[in-house]
Amino acid sequence: MDEYLSGDQLYRFLHISKRKMKYLLENGYIPVIDTGKKTYRYRVKRCDAERFKDRMEQDAGFLRELKGRFGISNSSQKSTSDYVIKDDERKEFREFLARLWKKYPDALPAKKAAELADISPQRVNELVRKGVVYGMCVGNVQYLSKERLIEYIADNCRGGKLVKRFRGQGDKL
């Protein structure tokens, strides 16, 4: 019989905040049983929690898209405001990404798409699952539409190295 951890036990086991734990559970980073109850809402298999903790400790880039999101400091909010794409820049930013990625095929493997977009592979899979970005499996590899990925990034960009390059701090194509 599988041993389960409650949400309270899980955040302590992983050494993370309750807020971060809730986000990770609700966004599919950790397999969970959501009972829907007000108390003892989450149940996670101990083996899943241990696997997740091992990955957190061994993979330095794991969860990097969440860096600064759960801190209490306002300084991280100030620094990311420089990397927000304004409405009047979106078309130009799309064209920039199209030029930047022109050497890549129209159907990008999910791993390459995650690398180019500077997001986690889990986030790429979530975007495909939700239908935000078109994806298709061929064999064991999932491919994404480069054009739809560019649209998504330009419409939802909230920071990162792509905007930094776009703003001229590395725009040498």
Side-chain angles (χ1 to χ4, degrees):
M1 188 166 145
D2 291 324
E3 184 181 344
Y4 289 91
L5 298 177
S6 68
D8 193 57
Q9 293 168 324
L10 179 67
Y11 88 86
R12 289 179 180 166
F13 176 75
L14 296 176
H15 304 288
I16 59 175
S17 68
K18 288 181 182 180
R19 186 171 154 217
K20 187 172 186 175
M21 177 210 59
K22 184 176 185 231
Y23 180 87
L24 294 172
L25 293 174
E26 290 179 351
N27 289 284
Y29 286 88
I30 304 171
V32 64
I33 298 170
D34 187 346
T35 64
K37 297 178 182 178
K38 204 168 191 174
T39 57
Y40 300 103
R41 178 176 175 183
Y42 301 112
R43 294 184 60 198
V44 176
K45 288 183 182 178
R46 179 173 285 280
C47 62
D48 290 335
E50 289 170 351
R51 196 174 308 124
F52 187 83
K53 185 175 183 177
D54 288 343
R55 184 151 182 223
M56 278 177 46
E57 292 169 352
Q58 294 173 3
D59 186 356
F62 185 57
L63 301 176
R64 74 171 173 234
E65 74 275 11
L66 302 179
K67 186 173 171 119
R69 182 177 216 163
F70 299 99
I72 57 174
S73 168
N74 287 337
S75 62
S76 65
Q77 293 174 349
K78 290 177 187 172
S79 65
T80 59
S81 66
D82 295 336
Y83 305 122
V84 175
I85 292 294
K86 298 176 183 106
D87 290 338
D88 58 340
E89 295 178 311
R90 292 196 194 288
K91 182 179 178 194
E92 191 179 338
F93 187 55
R94 276 191 192 101
E95 291 167 357
F96 167 79
L97 290 175
R99 285 192 318 272
L100 187 65
W101 297 349
K102 70 182 175 188
K103 67 181 179 183
Y104 297 104
D106 291 336
L108 295 168
K111 187 174 181 179
K112 186 53 139 178
E115 179 187 320
L116 291 172
D118 196 28
I119 58 179
S120 72
Q122 293 90 350
R123 180 71 178 138
V124 169
N125 291 333
E126 180 185 337
L127 293 172
V128 172
R129 191 173 60 248
K130 290 182 176 180
V132 175
V133 176
Y134 179 74
M136 173 185 282
C137 278
V138 178
N140 289 334
V141 180
Q142 184 168 29
Y143 292 91
L144 282 73
S145 164
K146 178 171 72 173
E147 184 178 337
R148 293 289 302 246
L149 183 62
I150 288 172
E151 281 179 34
Y152 169 77
I153 291 169
D155 291 343
N156 299 287
C157 196
R158 291 291 178 265
K161 66 181 183 182
L162 292 172
V163 178
K164 202 172 181 179
R165 281 185 79 177
F166 173 67
R167 294 272 161 72
Q169 300 173 6
D171 189 12
K172 308 292 184 239
L173 296 178

